[in-house]
Amino acid sequence: QVQLVESGGGLVQAGGSLRLSCAASGRTFSRYVMGWFRQAPGKEREFVAAMPRSGDITYYADSVKGRFTSSRDNAKNTVYLQMNSLKPEDTAVYYCAAAKAGGYSITEDGYDYWGQGTQVTVSS
């Protein structure tokens, strides 16, 4: 089992940047596929990014492609989400998630463990 703790959220003006971190417990972090999701008020949770175990490639939702960059540091049991050129529509609670099996997934049911989320608010 793995526990995930996100940090780095906050309030930022449109066009600004934030870097989210997700620290994972356990010694088998490198075996997990990692993902980022977000949920805006009144909306369903949606996929943001997914990283296979190797971390050599990342898959992004079209809405964030070119603005967000996700990476993982298996030595530090941490994944990051660098968010640039933020827009008000990026306002949401951001979650990291871990999957025990599979290559990667863009759906919630592909993940076994979830963090508590961190709020990102982008003002116009």
Side-chain angles (χ1 to χ4, degrees):
Q1 189 166 349
V2 63
Q3 293 182 324
L4 306 171
V5 179
E6 301 97 333
S7 61
L11 174 64
V12 64
Q13 288 188 333
S17 299
L18 280 175
R19 187 194 196 202
L20 305 184
S21 299
C22 173
S25 64
R27 296 178 293 177
T28 59
F29 173 75
S30 62
R31 300 179 185 176
Y32 291 92
V33 172
M34 299 300 296
W36 287 98
F37 288 77
R38 66 185 182 185
Q39 187 167 21
K43 296 186 178 181
E44 294 184 349
R45 192 150 54 182
E46 64 176 7
F47 167 76
V48 174
M51 293 158 286
R53 295 171 182 79
S54 63
D56 58 353
I57 188 170
T58 305
Y59 301 90
Y60 297 98
D62 288 342
S63 58
V64 306
K65 201 171 294 182
R67 300 187 298 121
F68 289 13
T69 302
S70 187
S71 60
R72 65 187 297 164
D73 186 336
N74 288 338
K76 295 183 178 180
N77 283 15
T78 302
V79 295
Y80 305 96
L81 185 66
Q82 177 66 45
M83 306 185 294
N84 299 327
S85 302
L86 282 161
K87 305 175 181 179
E89 51 264 43
D90 294 318
T91 295
V93 177
Y94 283 71
Y95 300 89
C96 70
K100 294 183 290 186
Y104 76 97
S105 176
I106 64 171
T107 60
E108 290 184 66
D109 58 7
Y111 293 86
D112 304 290
Y113 306 105
W114 294 83
Q116 83 289 349
T118 185
Q119 176 70 47
V120 171
T121 302
V122 184
S123 63
S124 58

